[in-house]
Amino acid sequence: MTRAHLDKSPADVAAMFDGVAGRYDLLNDVLSLGQDRLWRRVVAAAVGAGPGDTVLDVAAGTGTSSRTFAAPGARCVACDFSLGMLSVGKHRAARRPPSPVSFVAADALCLPFPDSIFDAVTISFGLRNLADPGAGLAEMLRVTRPGGRLVVCEFGHLPGRRLDAIYSRYLAAALPQVARRLSANGEAYSYLAESIADWPAQPELARRIAAAGWQAVRWRNLTMGVVAVHQARRPGPHRP
Ligand SMILES: C[S@@+](CC[C@H](N)C(=O)[O-])C[C@H]1O[C@@H](n2cnc3c(N)ncnc32)[C@H](O)[C@@H]1O
């Protein structure tokens, strides 16, 4: 499950996100027509952090979702390898103290955490960007406690080949154009369209999550499958 064909090294990916960091959240809101807020609410409910829980948000970017995972009474560690994205998130968190989110620079393929320490691990719009998503899923399993939860939020495919093909053409044509008007980095959004088209459909992603060692894998489509939220559990005793 490597993605060498997308032709970007991890350093290129980090630099690309450094370049869009300042306007990243604004562009998300515009390009998704505000739907990203709904998607993030669904993801937070799926993560379902309770008091005392520690959640790891992998490839957290500016930490837009991380704060929602931390409420109420839980803590969230937001990690990412783009220092630009982390820096925007840290500055924003500093304006709203006390922050229940800690920002950590880390590569998702080699997380700097001991085994089995998080109650839940989640990744939103990040798995697709990893050089090896299968290795990322295995690394997330390692740091989750037995019985702990995984929530993956990613772009999906629409039902039916024709509809999905029309949607892919729309993404390839419209995304970079809109992004170029709002950001100096339209190239990053051509990559976004390509990486969405190239990403496996929901059943195949579920199969790959299970292949990495997770159990009870299921998913829910949002906005007709534009986005899918996959949930799974690390094998082990289940604690409510
Ligand atoms: C599309 S952004 C998603 C950010 C955030 N999760 C959100 O929902 O807005 C993808 C993020 O993945 C990060 N990323 C890609 N590969 C990574 C890796 N190997 N380790 C850590 N972060 C990575 C990028 O730096 C970027 O911030």
Side-chain angles (χ1 to χ4, degrees):
M1 196 182 176
T2 54
R3 330 223 42 236
H5 51 285
L6 281 177
D7 202 25
K8 285 220 182 283
S9 69
D12 287 342
V13 173
M16 183 178 76
F17 282 103
D18 285 346
V20 297
R23 307 206 97 184
Y24 172 82
D25 288 297
L26 169 70
L27 274 162
N28 268 357
D29 261 356
V30 172
L31 293 172
S32 73
L33 307 174
Q35 289 289 296
D36 60 320
R37 290 163 189 247
L38 163 78
W39 301 335
R40 291 185 194 284
R41 277 203 295 277
V42 172
V43 173
V47 168
D53 277 357
T54 307
V55 177
L56 175 65
D57 187 12
V58 178
T62 59
T64 307
S65 289
S66 313
R67 187 172 264 269
T68 66
F69 305 141
R75 287 207 57 80
C76 181
V77 177
C79 75
D80 200 283
F81 72 1
S82 158
L83 299 183
M85 296 286 270
L86 288 174
S87 156
V88 169
K90 270 182 136 171
H91 278 101
R92 192 185 298 149
R95 290 201 298 268
R96 289 189 291 172
S99 173
V101 179
S102 337
F103 289 88
V104 174
D107 185 341
L109 302 183
C110 184
L111 293 169
F113 307 111
D115 295 354
S116 311
I117 61 159
F118 293 101
D119 299 288
V121 176
T122 181
I123 182 165
S124 290
F125 308 109
L127 192 61
R128 192 175 26 87
N129 291 290
L130 303 187
D132 186 345
L137 288 165
E139 187 60 351
M140 289 186 254
L141 183 79
R142 180 185 69 75
V143 299
T144 305
R145 68 164 166 78
R149 312 179 291 285
L150 171 74
V151 180
V152 176
C153 174
E154 226 355 308
F155 290 105
H157 288 267
L158 271 53
R161 280 178 163 222
R162 279 189 67 175
L163 190 58
D164 198 46
I166 292 167
Y167 170 59
S168 289
R169 281 203 295 278
Y170 157 75
L171 285 180
L175 262 189
Q177 280 197 28
V178 178
R180 235 172 251 123
R181 286 175 191 264
L182 294 173
S183 145
N185 202 334
E187 186 245 349
Y189 289 86
S190 303
Y191 166 83
L192 174 65
E194 279 168 40
S195 68
I196 295 172
D198 182 68
W199 187 242
Q202 289 83 324
E204 173 60 12
L205 178 57
R207 196 192 63 70
R208 295 181 187 190
I209 291 172
W214 295 93
Q215 71 178 34
V217 184
R218 61 194 192 282
W219 74 88
R220 172 180 170 188
N221 285 335
L222 305 177
T223 319
M224 282 175 68
V226 166
V227 161
V229 177
H230 284 71
Q231 290 177 251
R233 199 165 277 289
R234 179 173 168 178
H238 170 56
R239 232 175 44 212

